Amino acid sequence: MTGTLDLNLPALLAHLSDRGIEAAGPLSADLLAGGRSNLTYAVTDGTSRWVVRRPPLAGVTASAHDMAREHRVTSAMYSTSVPVARPISLCDDEKVLGAPFTVVEWVDGVVIRDREDLTALSDDEVQRTTAALVHVLVSLHSVDVAAVGLEDFGRPTGFLARQVALWRRQWDLTRTRDLPDLERLHARLADRVPAISEASVVHGDYRIDNAMLDRADPGTIRAVVDWELSTLGDPLTDVALMCVYRHPALDVILGIPAAWTSPRLPSPDALAESYARESGRDLGDWPFYLALAHLKLAVIAEGIAHRAHAGADAGRDAKRAAEAVPGLVAAGLDVLGRRRTASDN
């Protein structure tokens, strides 16, 4: 491994020492592949290994790059059946690495990011892996938030209305052009917010490449990662986003032929039905949740392009992520069953 961009290894070594972790030698690091948001590094002293995460170098939005949120939720989940890497440290002193960061224990597992990675799995392993992903999501949504100290982790009341408003605000912060259809999608969602919804811990970014699989048994999930968007809210938002991530636009957003869009995986409908069956939850106004997920993914894609224009290109031609936005917005409008009419003009 070699030193990597904007990671002060001597300062990190001193930080670990302050936390009672005495390294066996100088640290070296590598920027891990994947991800369009927080930067993730593998760090080693030659004997032990850790993972360090910090916000991107430019184009940061507070709600999308909250390191304290990641640390708190993973610390809480570590005592449950939801698999996470053991949290080690949260540092909010920006003098150390130039931004807040977290340190967690290294988990020896496999991350399936693209179609080539997926070829290592047999069809049976693909099915068992997706079943395990649904099972872990059901487990997450079943966590007793009071028992793990997360009762104030979010505001479940009014969550869906705030989500609709939040992703509209995020669009205003990161948009690279005007898109009238996005305004239409937001307006229609705002008019259709369900009056009643359940509440649980939600991950906010759940799909196969945000899970680490056991090397010997891919049907076992060793750890769920990337908790920066987690909160207390409606669990169906997690399910809908997991399904919408199956949209081909994800390939453009990530800049790779994503594993999660592969036709070898269950369809979005099959994933949703599997979750409903195992959790016992009714999917309610499912078109609303799907349309909201399309809006969220569209805004995320625009944010990736925004950060690239701001000088924090995550590689793989991140500016192209904006190309996925119109199609996602159109799909969101379609799923609501209320296509554009003359009265919209």
Side-chain angles (χ1 to χ4, degrees):
M1 293 184 179
T2 59
T4 51
L5 181 66
D6 207 53
L7 190 63
N8 186 329
L9 294 176
L12 178 59
L13 181 63
H15 171 79
L16 291 175
S17 179
D18 289 343
R19 296 300 187 275
I21 300 173
E22 296 301 329
L27 300 180
S28 60
D30 198 16
L31 182 64
L32 295 177
R36 292 291 207 185
S37 186
N38 284 339
L39 301 178
T40 304
Y41 301 88
V43 177
T44 182
D45 61 2
T47 301
S48 300
R49 302 179 79 182
W50 304 274
V51 172
V52 175
R53 278 171 59 79
R54 56 146 293 164
L57 304 181
V60 175
T61 55
S63 64
H65 305 105
D66 191 336
M67 306 310 301
R69 176 168 294 274
E70 275 196 328
H71 182 75
R72 184 179 178 192
V73 71
T74 52
S75 296
M77 289 302 111
Y78 193 68
S79 64
T80 74
S81 63
V82 179
V84 295
R86 183 173 70 88
I88 292 175
S89 176
L90 165 69
C91 180
D92 56 10
D93 183 357
E94 297 189 10
K95 295 178 182 178
V96 179
L97 294 184
F101 66 93
T102 61
V103 183
V104 300
E105 191 173 64
W106 177 267
V107 173
D108 185 22
V110 176
V111 178
I112 304 296
R113 290 192 174 91
D114 58 30
R115 304 282 180 88
E116 184 176 351
D117 294 335
L118 197 63
T119 61
L121 275 59
S122 68
D123 289 344
D124 177 67
E125 288 173 330
V126 167
Q127 294 301 314
R128 290 195 297 110
T129 297
T130 52
L133 285 166
V134 171
H135 176 75
V136 169
L137 192 60
V138 171
S139 297
L140 170 63
H141 295 162
S142 300
V143 168
D144 184 332
V145 295
V148 298
L150 291 178
E151 60 267 39
D152 61 345
F153 191 58
R155 294 178 295 145
T157 301
F159 173 77
L160 292 175
R162 290 197 308 276
Q163 280 287 292
V164 172
L166 167 66
W167 290 104
R168 176 63 172 77
R169 290 196 304 272
Q170 289 293 102
W171 171 257
D172 288 336
L173 288 171
T174 61
R175 65 181 177 181
T176 62
R177 52 3 208 316
D178 292 329
L179 195 62
D181 275 352
L182 189 137
E183 309 290 343
R184 294 185 179 91
L185 177 57
H186 167 259
R188 290 171 180 175
L189 284 167
D191 287 342
R192 191 166 167 166
V193 176
I196 300 175
S197 64
E198 294 188 63
S200 72
V201 177
V202 295
H203 180 273
D205 194 19
Y206 197 78
R207 60 179 189 259
I208 194 171
D209 51 316
N210 279 338
M212 302 191 70
L213 312 181
D214 187 89
R215 292 186 182 277
D217 177 16
T220 298
I221 297 176
R222 297 289 308 280
V224 176
V225 300
D226 289 7
W227 292 83
E228 63 203 73
L229 295 176
S230 59
T231 189
L232 291 187
D234 190 323
L236 295 184
T237 59
D238 257 354
V239 186
L241 187 59
M242 175 181 67
C243 293
V244 168
Y245 273 144
R246 294 282 285 116
H247 193 287
L250 187 64
D251 293 353
V252 178
I253 294 169
L254 297 182
I256 58 174
W260 196 241
T261 63
S262 168
R264 296 181 63 198
L265 273 63
S267 70
D269 285 346
L271 287 169
E273 290 168 5
S274 179
Y275 175 89
R277 183 171 56 252
E278 184 167 349
S279 67
R281 282 192 171 91
D282 186 287
L283 297 183
D285 185 0
W286 189 234
F288 168 86
Y289 290 98
L290 287 176
L292 176 59
H294 281 93
L295 173 67
K296 178 176 178 177
L297 186 53
V299 176
I300 289 172
E302 190 80 359
I304 290 167
H306 167 76
R307 289 192 292 277
H309 284 289
D313 194 321
R316 304 187 304 277
D317 199 9
K319 293 179 182 178
R320 286 199 61 212
E323 296 175 11
V325 176
L328 286 166
V329 171
L333 288 169
D334 286 348
V335 80
L336 284 176
R338 297 172 60 187
R339 297 176 183 271
R340 179 178 175 180
T341 65
S343 62
D344 289 322
N345 294 320

